[in-house]
Amino acid sequence: MSNFIAYILLGLPFGCVFALIAIGLVLTYKTSGVFNLAFGAQAFAAAAVYYVLHVRHGWPTVPAAVLAIVVFSPLIGLILELAIFRHMRTASPLAKMVASLGLLVAVPQMVVLWLIGVGKPTFGVRGIWWDDTAVYHFFFDTTLSGKDMAVIVSTVLAVLVLGALFKWAPIGLRMRAVVESPRMTELSGINADRVSAFSWMLSSLFAGLAGVLIAPYFASLGTGQDFITLLVAAIAVAAFARLRSIPMALLGGILLGVIQGLLQGYLPPGSLLAQYLKPALPFAALFLLLLFWPGLRTALQSKDPLAGVDPPVLPPAAADRGRGMTIATRTFGIGVGIVMFVLAFTVMNDHWIGVFTQGVIFSVIFLSITVITGMGGQISLAQAAFAGIGGYGTAQLVQVFNLPVLPTMLLAALLAGVVGALLAIPTLRLGGIFLSLGTLAFALVFSTVFVQLGWVAGGAHALNVPRPGGLANDKPFLVYCVVVLIIVSFLVILVRKGTTGRYLDALSGSETAAQSIGIDPRRSKIVAFALSAAIAGLGGSLLAQFYTTVSAATVEYTYVYGLFFVVIVVTLSARTVEGAINAGLSLVIIPEILNFFGLPYGLTFILFGLGAITYARHPEGILESQKRRSMEFLEKHVFRTKKATADDGSGPPSTNGADRVPVATTGAAD
């Protein structure tokens, strides 16, 4: 019995932290309608402020904790609300999630660059209890440390204060009213902006509290990846609470922590279950809750009676441009490609050949996002995992079965497509944000469990991946990658113009109307998901061939890179092939530019992470938006000049494509 109680107490502190983060997620959603994936980044930022003040500068515990939790964290929440989410209050839940995803990518890098310092150690975080090493004895001879007591006591007090706020304070009722319908709330004389700002400050305070409390349990703060893992565990708890109930979030967090403590205590330390079941438990719990927890799928549906009054998303700019613009654009693109090839084979050294080869490979991977997001209208956070399946699959098939690398690459891509289809079957019925969270759970299980298995990624040993015969040198290999990119690009274009693409386009307009004319939404989306996973697997195989080795430490296959992949593509353009290609090249060229000017690599994550905030205003992407503006300018000042000359009354009116783009209308839509 004493062991059982001891194991429960072992998991109780982490359960309380799970509960705090989950309560913050629930609070943010209940009061502002935002499912805030940046919550983990906010917790990391507060922990970093506390560490710098308390450890590096020697501040006493109380002032350092108060500044980090009570001052800095609410200020961050206020800034996020005023600068970003206030302007997105009536945006779709998916647009809000993309913005918070960009912040999740950008904020940790900002903290590392401008607060902690790149490469500087972050060891020795001390807790807020007066003595972390103090031991407190309880019944059955069980004990808790000082930092454990700090977590438990702080969680209880925070939940009691929050419950009282929602039950008896007028601000609690106003916060609930704002999320139901901000426009209707304004009609009742309530300042929705002020209420929303307060709720963001309050939820961010919970993020800061969780970050400061959990920091002493880590050997070092690092780059904040541990906080992302905690965030996913908290998302599972928030799902258990159906994103509504703060008491259920508290209960769910404690249950998850206790279960982890029992597993850690009872499972043999060297067993497979101890190595793989315990770290995968939060992610598996999230996946199962998303699929089977009753009432969860309706939790994020809009309750605003004035929702849906915004204009529809503009079609791609290419669909509106005239024939002259199309010819000019394609000629320019071909010309740029020819110039790059000439430079590659005459001027560029081996380093730049490698840079552009990686850019081409990432472009192939990013075309998978064009399929699932640009055509399918869904955000998948598992594309890096699918790329890993392609890379590891190629390596294993070559080594185990001694197959040539070219057919092996296709088999690995097919394997990734099959896994994608199997994942799509249960998750596509969720849709929207829940589909994204389900794919994130899969990516985390893949990174933390499957990649550690020897039959997947080789275990402690790297796997060798040969290049195809005759392509050992970098220049021929670059040509080979470009050929693959061209083939995949044409495949994506054909799919977009074919039956599947038209079905997906109809579904994005109105799924109900599409079903009424016989379109099966599940079948079309599963095809898109499987094709997307196969393309990512193909790109992952190319990446393995480029490196010639892959291992469990290959960062491009990790879930963190998967988040960044989505951010960079949706920032530029997820709806077009050229958007994916520009994203792939930007991913490798921008760090080179930063390095040339002596700037840190982390700025790449910051630039594109903050760029994702523009998704709500321009879901077509910055590149597509600027393309439309450029097209309108040229249509107005170049092509319409020719049209006016032709339409001088001497003949029939011109019918070139420019007639289809009313400048005033499209300009207003932008």
Side-chain angles (χ1 to χ4, degrees), residues 156-490:
V156 171
L157 291 176
V159 171
L160 290 176
V161 171
L162 185 63
L165 177 70
F166 268 95
K167 186 171 184 179
W168 290 299
I171 188 66
L173 178 61
R174 292 173 182 171
M175 286 190 293
R176 293 197 303 272
V178 167
V179 74
E180 291 291 332
S181 175
R183 295 161 177 169
M184 296 288 286
T185 305
E186 291 277 7
L187 294 177
S188 302
I190 296 174
N191 190 325
D193 290 342
R194 187 177 301 171
V195 173
S196 180
F198 178 82
S199 67
W200 269 93
M201 294 173 66
L202 183 61
S203 64
S204 190
L205 185 146
F206 268 76
L209 178 61
V212 170
L213 290 175
I214 198 62
Y217 289 88
F218 299 135
S220 68
L221 292 181
T223 59
Q225 290 192 23
D226 291 327
F227 289 84
I228 297 178
T229 305
L230 283 173
L231 170 69
V232 177
I235 291 173
V237 175
F240 177 78
R242 297 187 181 91
L243 301 178
R244 291 194 300 264
S245 172
I246 290 176
M248 286 288 286
L250 176 64
L251 174 62
I254 292 175
L255 283 177
L256 183 58
V258 166
I259 292 173
Q260 283 197 311
L262 292 173
L263 291 176
Q264 182 175 342
Y266 282 112
L267 291 177
S271 66
L272 291 177
L273 289 176
Q275 293 178 26
Y276 303 124
L277 178 59
K278 181 178 178 293
L281 176 63
F283 319 135
L286 171 60
F287 192 80
L288 294 175
L289 284 168
L290 291 174
L291 292 179
F292 302 114
W293 196 238
L296 180 60
R297 278 180 289 169
T298 61
L300 290 180
Q301 292 179 356
S302 176
K303 302 173 184 178
D304 190 349
L306 298 180
V309 300
D310 296 323
V313 176
L314 293 172
D320 286 335
R321 69 189 178 196
R323 184 171 181 273
M325 281 288 297
T326 300
I327 294 174
T329 301
R330 292 176 179 175
T331 302
F332 177 77
I334 294 172
V336 170
I338 292 174
V339 170
M340 295 305 298
F341 256 92
V342 171
L343 291 176
F345 284 90
T346 58
V347 177
M348 292 182 186
N349 56 26
D350 291 341
H351 171 74
W352 279 101
I353 291 291
V355 168
F356 277 97
T357 302
Q358 290 182 74
V360 171
I361 293 171
F362 283 123
S363 298
V364 174
I365 297 175
F366 292 168
L367 282 171
S368 70
I369 301 175
T370 302
V371 173
I372 189 63
T373 302
M375 294 195 300
Q378 306 291 339
I379 299 289
S380 169
L381 302 179
Q383 299 310 107
F386 294 135
I389 293 173
Y392 296 132
T394 299
Q396 291 286 8
L397 290 171
V398 168
Q399 291 197 10
V400 174
F401 298 101
N402 199 26
L403 296 174
V405 69
L406 282 176
T408 300
M409 177 177 68
L410 298 178
L411 289 174
L414 178 62
L415 175 63
V418 170
V419 174
L422 293 176
L423 178 64
I425 291 172
T427 56
L428 277 175
R429 70 188 183 93
L430 301 173
I433 290 178
F434 288 131
L435 181 141
S436 302
L437 296 178
T439 56
L440 176 60
F442 169 79
L444 280 158
V445 171
F446 180 80
S447 294
T448 58
V449 177
F450 287 101
V451 170
Q452 311 307 319
L453 301 174
W455 57 271
V456 175
H461 305 285
L463 299 172
N464 295 320
V465 186
R467 293 182 180 180
L471 301 177
N473 294 329
D474 287 342
K475 289 182 179 179
F477 188 76
L478 172 59
V479 175
Y480 160 68
C481 292
V482 170
V483 170
V484 174
L485 174 61
I486 292 172
I487 293 173
V488 175
S489 298
F490 276 108

Side-chain angles (χ1 to χ4, degrees), residues 47-48 50-52 54-55 122-128 132 147 211-222:
Y50 173 72
Y51 167 79
V52 169
H54 186 42
V55 178
T122 54
F123 304 104
V125 184
R126 296 191 291 268
I128 63 174
D132 278 357
K147 61 183 180 183
V212 170
L213 290 175
I214 198 62
Y217 289 88
F218 299 135
S220 68
L221 292 181

Side-chain angles (χ1 to χ4, degrees), residues 503-548:
Y503 281 179
L504 291 172
D505 190 45
L507 290 168
S508 65
S510 172
E511 187 166 319
T512 303
Q515 286 181 289
S516 69
I517 59 174
I519 296 177
D520 184 354
R522 285 181 55 81
R523 179 179 178 181
S524 299
K525 291 180 179 181
I526 289 173
V527 170
F529 210 101
L531 177 62
S532 170
I535 292 173
L538 187 68
S541 177
L542 286 176
L543 193 64
Q545 296 169 50
F546 172 76
Y547 289 140
T548 67

Side-chain angles (χ1 to χ4, degrees), residues 83-124:
I84 301 171
F85 291 103
R86 172 170 296 185
H87 309 288
M88 300 176 62
R89 191 176 297 143
T90 58
S92 68
L94 198 61
K96 296 175 183 177
M97 190 199 73
V98 169
S100 66
L101 181 62
L103 292 170
L104 179 62
V105 169
V107 170
Q109 293 296 325
M110 296 168 67
V111 171
V112 171
L113 289 180
W114 298 325
L115 186 60
I116 295 176
V118 179
K120 291 186 178 180
T122 54
F123 304 104

